[in-house]
Amino acid sequence: MNKIVINTDTGKHKIDRHIYGHFSEHLGRCIYDGYWVGEESPIPNKRGIRKDIVKALKKAKTPNLRWPGGCFADEYHWKDGIGPREERPTMINTHWGGVTENNHFGTHEFLDLCEQIGCEPYICGNVGSGTVQEMSQWVEYVNFDGVSPMADLRRKNGRDKPWNVTFWGIGNESWGCGGNMRPEYYADLVRRYGCYCRSYPNQKLYRIACGPNAADYEWTNVLMRQAGGNIDALTLHYYCVSGKESRSATKFKESDWFAQLQRALVMDELLVKHGAIMDRHDPEKRVALIVDEWGTWHHVEPGTNPGFLYMQNSLRDALVAALNLDMFNRHCERVRMCNIAQTVNVLQAMILTEGEKMLLTPTYHVFEMYAVHQDATLLPMDIETEQYKFGDESIPAVSGSASLDSAGKVHITLSNTNPKKAVEVSIDVRGSKVAKVSGRVLTAPKMTAHNTFTKADAVKPEKFTGTRRRGNTLSVKMPSKSVVVLELS
Ligand code: AHR
């Protein structure tokens, strides 16, 4: 029997809405032929930005968007992306397919996109091939309200008031594509760049340093020791790269399902260990841990450009998303922002497009279902679960998290990782009276189920009727391979 105990009156920490953030890079069809279709496109758009994508991201309460990369960020020169579009210089996107970037989507277009979605921008600056002056001027262009060379240039380009962007990343993957640096060297650069990226009177900057690649604990230690006092957050990147028997996003067996979920659960160990190192340097937990690239990485769809990272997204990816979001919630004391890679047409996307068609992936539905946790108080939750065994190995069958929102509603999210067996969970809710329970479930007959342009609703949330309530005890029957969200009032 699987048992969960939730205490509704002892929550201490807020689940920051920014945990539900996104990442969108100039990569493949994420920006061009994704968000950006241009003002002349027959596809309905507002100032060149697709309306259907904006509507979907608003519905999922997207809280922030990280841009322009990724590896692209460290070769991006922001001044090439402002002013009249036809006069903007081109560049080669060397990381992603060697295609020509025309710079038609730049600072103004990105910040317009964020305003249309109603989310906060998170801009990643160029440390790898840029200069301190260049990044410092970008902050001035975006945030300074007075008279200055950059603020005047912004006005000349049609924007009077500053955008007041809070979140600024100081380089991306500086240990790899962002410059192959050593942590000692990069830590000094963080101090220097952080110093010249000014907080103007109207906007206190939140300086985000590039953190470790997965289990590189030495990087975290050096960064916290040498630059911990100069930053507000340190990032972590961890991808679940698929493949044991198959790397296909939609053609895989149970061995691949199991391996992928097992990989996803490694995130917990990374958060615990990096968190412990950060605690040594910063016991007050002032510096946040931000997982600003995470998600699944499969083979690209057959026939597509390998450099574009365009992949399908199945129920398996939805389970990976749910497991991760529950882990982030549970670690919300230190983890205050996360950005899944990437929003549109790239890696573990929320949205896929084909011409004027658009579909929502199973991962999108998880984000939309989990939005109830945003800015709610994390509730302590004890889980006693059976194991889902595959061969000689096993992972927990049931995983989840719970929160209390400002209206007094409790939300519980749960996953059943077992693709062959339904599970029954008994939930004991303590600390408040439960009068009513409702819920939604995401599942499908096959673990490879996914949405296509001809069948866009193959995987979508349905009303969940598997809960029985007796007083404050709930008995929940979860179908195999499912994600459930419950609302208690
Ligand atoms: O998300 C794709 C790439 O993965 C990013 O550009 C890079 O930061 C990471 O290696």
Side-chain angles (χ1 to χ4, degrees):
M1 185 59 169
N2 304 292
K3 285 190 192 144
I4 292 180
V5 176
I6 295 171
N7 292 293
T8 63
D9 54 353
T10 56
K12 280 205 286 252
H13 306 294
K14 186 175 96 165
I15 298 174
D16 199 308
R17 67 181 188 286
H18 290 299
I19 283 179
Y20 291 80
H22 292 265
F23 165 42
S24 294
E25 181 168 10
H26 286 238
L27 194 177
R29 296 196 302 113
C30 183
I31 303 293
Y32 303 109
D33 205 19
Y35 293 108
W36 181 255
V37 288
E39 285 160 330
E40 307 307 324
S41 172
I43 298 172
N45 69 84
K46 189 170 173 186
R47 292 185 292 276
I49 295 165
R50 270 182 90 132
K51 287 184 174 173
D52 51 0
I53 293 183
V54 168
K55 189 173 166 208
L57 294 178
K58 254 172 146 43
K59 185 169 180 234
K61 296 201 166 69
T62 301
N64 70 68
L65 197 52
R66 175 176 184 250
W67 171 87
C71 297
F72 181 79
D74 281 291
E75 60 180 1
Y76 180 62
H77 300 285
W78 70 271
K79 282 187 188 162
D80 294 346
I82 55 171
R85 279 189 206 110
E86 56 293 350
E87 290 172 23
R88 296 183 192 175
T90 60
M91 65 178 280
I92 308 167
N93 192 335
T94 56
H95 288 290
W96 308 117
V99 293
T100 302
E101 158 72 53
N102 64 14
N103 276 308
H104 282 193
F105 189 93
T107 301
H108 290 251
E109 290 78 10
F110 169 65
L111 293 168
D112 187 17
L113 169 65
C114 291
E115 285 181 343
Q116 290 188 33
I117 297 171
C119 74
E120 282 209 50
Y122 164 12
I123 296 180
C124 185
N126 179 347
V127 172
S129 69
T131 64
V132 179
Q133 183 188 29
E134 186 181 1
M135 187 163 171
S136 160
Q137 289 186 328
W138 202 2
V139 177
E140 181 188 323
Y141 186 89
V142 168
N143 281 0
F144 189 59
D145 200 11
V147 174
S148 83
M150 290 302 113
D152 291 347
L153 183 59
R154 181 190 70 232
R155 289 186 193 103
K156 191 176 146 226
N157 288 331
R159 173 83 184 195
D160 180 23
K161 284 287 156 202
W163 287 276
N164 296 333
V165 172
T166 305
F167 300 118
W168 291 85
I170 304 174
N172 167 75
E173 297 196 350
S174 306
W175 37 261
C177 68
N180 282 321
M181 301 177 202
R182 295 172 308 112
E184 293 80 5
Y185 177 75
Y186 173 69
D188 281 343
L189 286 186
V190 166
R191 297 168 68 113
R192 183 163 168 234
Y193 273 72
C195 175
Y196 289 99
C197 290
R198 307 288 184 197
S199 282
Y200 292 106
N202 46 327
Q203 193 59 48
K204 187 171 174 334
L205 290 199
Y206 189 89
R207 296 174 178 83
I208 302 170
C210 160
N213 178 20
D216 183 353
Y217 299 113
E218 175 63 5
W219 184 278
T220 300
N221 194 32
V222 174
L223 259 289
M224 287 303 290
R225 190 180 64 225
Q226 285 188 203
N230 305 70
I231 58 175
D232 298 292
L234 191 67
T235 66
L236 164 67
H237 287 186
Y238 174 65
Y239 283 98
C240 296
V241 181
S242 66
K244 199 166 191 178
E245 291 173 24
S246 159
R247 282 202 63 194
S248 162
T250 52
K251 293 185 183 68
F252 55 85
K253 300 198 199 118
E254 191 184 344
S255 53
D256 295 305
W257 167 279
F258 178 84
Q260 193 64 318
L261 300 193
Q262 200 176 36
R263 260 176 228 120
L265 291 167
V266 169
M267 181 64 85
D268 195 66
E269 180 185 329
L270 297 175
L271 299 180
V272 168
K273 291 188 175 168
H274 286 295
I277 295 168
M278 292 176 81
D279 283 349
R280 282 211 304 270
H281 299 277
D282 171 35
E284 307 294 319
K285 297 193 188 332
R286 188 191 62 78
V287 179
L289 182 58
I290 290 185
V291 189
D292 66 0
E293 286 190 31
W294 67 274
T296 52
W297 196 311
H298 310 297
H299 264 324
V300 300
E301 286 304 290
T304 65
N305 186 332
F308 281 14
L309 308 184
Y310 173 77
M311 51 203 63
Q312 253 293 358
N313 192 296
S314 74
L315 184 61
R316 176 176 63 164
D317 300 277
L319 264 291
V320 170
L323 295 179
N324 272 290
L325 293 173
D326 283 323
M327 290 185 276
F328 298 151
N329 287 348
R330 295 199 300 263
H331 286 280
C332 68
E333 197 184 350
R334 176 75 81 177
V335 177
R336 292 178 218 137
M337 188 194 277
C338 301
N339 307 79
I340 189 169
Q342 301 193 1
T343 325
V344 185
N345 291 331
V346 170
L347 295 172
Q348 191 174 352
M350 307 285 119
I351 289 168
L352 302 179
T353 64
E354 192 180 85
E356 77 290 351
K357 292 189 210 140
M358 183 200 90
L359 67 79
L360 304 175
T361 65
T363 298
Y364 171 90
H365 292 306
V366 170
F367 269 72
E368 187 273 319
M369 290 163 77
Y370 273 60
V372 291
H373 288 308
Q374 292 190 20
D375 285 340
T377 303
L378 178 76
L379 296 178
M381 179 172 179
D382 283 331
I383 307 187
E384 216 180 289
T385 169
E386 66 188 63
Q387 293 290 300
Y388 155 39
K389 295 196 182 104
F390 186 79
D392 297 335
E393 296 179 290
S394 69
I395 59 172
V398 180
S399 133
S401 64
S403 67
L404 176 67
D405 72 11
S406 54
K409 287 186 179 144
V410 171
H411 292 103
I412 306 171
T413 43
L414 296 170
S415 308
N416 174 8
T417 59
N418 194 325
K420 289 181 305 201
K421 184 173 173 259
V423 294
E424 192 161 348
V425 187
S426 162
I427 307 180
D428 181 7
V429 183
R430 299 181 185 166
S432 61
K433 207 166 152 357
V434 182
K436 210 173 129 207
V437 185
S438 59
R440 287 194 294 157
V441 60
L442 188 74
T443 188
K446 288 190 179 163
M447 57 188 170
T448 53
H450 57 280
N451 295 331
T452 62
F453 292 102
T454 45
K455 209 166 173 219
D457 276 345
V459 188
K460 68 171 193 326
E462 306 282 357
K463 187 172 178 209
F464 182 60
T465 53
T467 310
R468 298 283 164 273
R469 182 180 70 83
R470 203 176 304 142
N472 265 30
T473 303
L474 313 177
S475 164
V476 183
K477 278 194 186 146
M478 295 182 68
S480 62
K481 49 182 163 15
S482 65
V483 180
V484 166
V485 56
L486 299 176
E487 181 170 289
L488 281 47
S489 48

